[in-house]
Amino acid sequence: ICATKSFWDVSIINNLFRGRDLSFLNIAVLGGEPNTPEIEEQINRVLSSCNCTTSLTVGYGMSELNGTVTTSSFKHHQIGFTGIPLPNVIVASFDVKTGRENGYLECGEIMVQSPCAMKNYANNPTLTDAFRWIDGQGNSWYRTGDIGYIDSFGEVMVLGRAVDSVDI
């Protein structure tokens, strides 16, 4: 099952999994919408109550970056985090006021380097220029518009949208 938070919410509220045997389920994915530790734990409880032996896999990304950018790992995953970057993808948070790349656990705008990023927005160079950002070393980054941080394991925590943040 690969679904958004809304799917899981409706399924849980309407008891769609009650009495079902999900022991055949190999992977259950949550992505496409904001996640919280409470939601993730609730979905894992429902899966477990249905004999499912796997826990939820969480992903993060955006269509401009060809979908998934990070995913949780079967070996290491912290509830509430969106996982680690896929191969050849770099994720960092930056101080929005200074443009300085943040260290571990420092909150800022999440930006991504990915070989799978789109070339540009069709017929909209202004939007394309706003999506791309060049750091002080000349590296090209893609702005996600999300606020969050990276922990020492490399897992990404998304806290919300930059436009909704008053002070970061």
Side-chain angles (χ1 to χ4, degrees):
I1 298 174
C2 184
T4 64
K5 177 188 158 301
S6 298
F7 166 84
W8 290 106
D9 285 345
V10 168
S11 299
I12 291 168
I13 289 168
N14 293 310
N15 294 309
L16 296 180
F17 296 122
R18 183 185 297 167
R20 306 252 185 214
D21 180 11
L22 298 180
S23 59
F24 64 90
L25 190 60
N26 292 320
I27 190 165
V29 178
L30 170 65
E33 292 179 336
N35 177 29
T36 65
E38 296 78 21
I39 291 165
E40 195 172 336
E41 288 170 346
Q42 181 181 27
I43 295 167
N44 280 329
R45 281 192 303 274
V46 168
L47 291 171
S48 179
S49 74
C50 296
N51 303 318
C52 185
T53 57
T54 189
S55 59
L56 196 61
T57 298
V58 179
Y60 168 74
M62 57 192 295
S63 56
E64 291 91 339
L65 297 168
N66 197 27
T68 307
V69 172
T70 68
T71 188
S72 55
S73 163
F74 292 115
K75 292 183 179 181
H76 175 82
H77 174 63
Q78 298 176 86
I79 297 290
F81 283 76
T82 64
I84 58 174
L86 295 177
N88 300 316
V89 173
I90 300 170
V91 179
S93 85
F94 286 83
D95 183 298
V96 294
K97 294 176 182 140
T98 67
R100 177 188 63 84
E101 184 175 346
N102 290 329
Y104 294 129
L105 306 177
E106 289 185 290
C107 191
E109 183 178 1
I110 297 171
M111 296 198 205
V112 176
Q113 291 180 342
S114 173
C116 298
M118 66 170 198
K119 281 181 82 171
N120 55 42
Y121 287 99
N123 304 316
N124 197 334
T126 304
L127 198 53
T128 300
D129 290 343
F131 178 58
R132 288 196 184 108
W133 179 74
I134 307 296
D135 69 15
Q137 286 76 44
N139 299 309
S140 181
W141 293 87
Y142 300 101
R143 297 165 108 52
T144 66
D146 290 323
I147 297 299
Y149 61 88
I150 291 65
D151 75 355
S152 60
F153 292 105
E155 285 207 74
V156 178
M157 171 61 74
V158 179
L159 299 170
R161 298 290 294 158
V163 295
D164 298 332
S165 297
V166 177
D167 187 36
I168 348 176

